[in-house]
Amino acid sequence: MNLKIHSTLTTTITASQITPRVRKEKGQFSVKEPIFVTMGDQEVKLFAAWSSSFSKRVEIALKMKGINYKYVAESLSNKSPELLRYNPVHKKVPVVIHNGKPICESLVILEYIDEIWKSGPSILPEDPHARAMARFWCSPAIKRIYRSQGEEREKAVQDATEHLETLENELRGKKFFGGDEIGLVDLSATFIALWLGVLLELAGVELLTKEKFPRLCEWIDIYLNCSIVKETLPAREDLLDHLRSLRRPAK
């Protein structure tokens, strides 16, 4: 009989422990005095993986909002029965459990967080048109870059270049995609900020450079150096080693 042992690490993340008081200073989020969010009997649990950009965008949002939550570390190669029970359709991270009810898919979770908890900065803008545009940029442009990693490298690079040019133009005259503050599009573009560069390095492709995309590279530098983002994302070398190990053929 073969027994699979699912190892999950559960950590309680509290507002006073890790999540700082969110204070906007020229578009930055700085660590000042703690913020305490009154949750009552509410319970929030996040099933996530350290190497998943989808998980990290949700984790950043929870910290921006100052929400106490329990972090459950998942292995993408050996998912826990609990995760599969909460997300039986896609069987993926992240999953947020709020008072026993699961919310799946990272973009859906981001909008849910913004709707339920009004503490901290807004993820979506108040203006209905601006909200619609934020959803638009999350859907076609950024998702296509995920699909730009394919077997036909030349075509993939061409497609990625076109979509990065679209995002480059969207940043004209702005610090973040939504303006002066981190919002839905910035969180969704976490993949571009860290993961894309690592994947391009592994593929030996020079694409995301300051010469070709000066505004996008400036946004990456600003975003990665925001205190909450910096403390949440993995070290680049750790991610590089991890993704390199996935490319090695099995012995």
Side-chain angles (χ1 to χ4, degrees):
M1 179 183 295
N2 294 325
L3 296 177
K4 285 188 176 181
I5 300 176
H6 300 270
S7 178
T8 57
L9 174 64
T10 304
T11 306
T12 301
I13 311 296
T14 65
S16 59
Q17 181 180 24
I18 292 182
T19 305
R21 179 176 179 81
V22 180
R23 194 177 79 176
K24 296 185 283 292
E25 295 180 345
K26 298 180 181 179
Q28 295 279 347
F29 295 102
S30 58
V31 180
K32 295 297 179 185
E33 67 271 26
I35 182 171
F36 297 92
V37 181
T38 303
M39 301 293 293
D41 296 328
Q42 298 186 59
E43 180 184 39
V44 180
K45 187 182 292 185
L46 171 64
F47 288 81
W50 74 269
S51 60
S52 164
S53 64
F54 302 99
S55 295
K56 290 302 179 181
R57 60 167 67 155
V58 171
E59 195 174 348
I60 292 168
L62 288 169
K63 290 182 178 182
M64 283 172 56
K65 290 288 190 177
I67 301 168
N68 296 340
Y69 64 98
K70 290 183 179 179
Y71 182 94
V72 182
E74 285 285 341
S75 169
L76 297 181
S77 61
N78 190 22
K79 298 168 186 175
S80 70
E82 197 172 10
L83 172 67
L84 299 179
R85 184 173 74 252
Y86 284 126
N87 191 1
V89 177
H90 300 293
K91 302 179 174 63
K92 295 178 181 179
V93 293
V95 175
V96 163
I97 312 299
H98 181 210
N99 289 341
K101 298 178 180 179
I103 306 97
C104 307
E105 297 297 307
S106 60
L107 290 179
V108 175
I109 294 171
L110 291 179
E111 292 202 38
Y112 181 87
I113 290 171
D114 201 42
E115 184 68 25
I116 296 298
W117 292 284
K118 301 302 181 182
S119 61
S122 296
I123 294 173
L124 276 163
E126 293 297 327
D127 178 68
H129 180 263
R131 280 176 172 257
M133 291 305 297
R135 293 187 180 104
F136 170 80
W137 286 113
C138 286
S139 180
I142 294 177
K143 283 186 178 179
R144 285 173 189 158
I145 291 180
Y146 300 149
R147 296 196 291 268
S148 293
Q149 304 300 322
E151 295 179 0
E152 300 179 6
R153 178 170 297 177
E154 187 175 339
K155 181 65 166 60
V157 171
Q158 181 182 347
D159 290 345
T161 300
E162 292 176 0
H163 303 314
L164 289 173
E165 286 173 350
T166 301
L167 295 173
E168 173 79 5
N169 291 331
E170 180 61 18
L171 279 168
R172 193 184 302 274
K174 294 188 289 189
K175 192 169 192 174
F176 296 107
F177 284 100
D180 293 329
E181 302 173 14
I182 290 176
L184 180 66
V185 181
D186 302 282
L187 293 170
S188 300
T190 298
F191 169 85
I192 296 172
L194 182 59
W195 276 255
L196 181 60
V198 171
L199 290 172
L200 290 172
E201 180 178 335
L202 290 173
V205 175
E206 188 176 276
L207 175 60
L208 191 54
T209 65
K210 291 182 179 180
E211 292 73 26
K212 295 178 181 177
F213 303 103
R215 286 187 290 272
L216 196 53
C217 287
E218 183 181 10
W219 168 81
I220 289 173
D221 184 62
I222 294 171
Y223 182 69
L224 292 182
N225 280 288
C226 289
S227 59
I228 291 178
V229 177
K230 195 170 185 178
E231 76 176 25
T232 303
L233 296 187
R236 192 180 192 280
E237 287 304 313
D238 291 342
L239 185 62
L240 181 64
D241 290 343
H242 172 71
L243 294 177
R244 184 183 286 121
S245 69
L246 296 179
R247 290 166 60 92
R248 297 191 189 109
K251 295 182 179 179

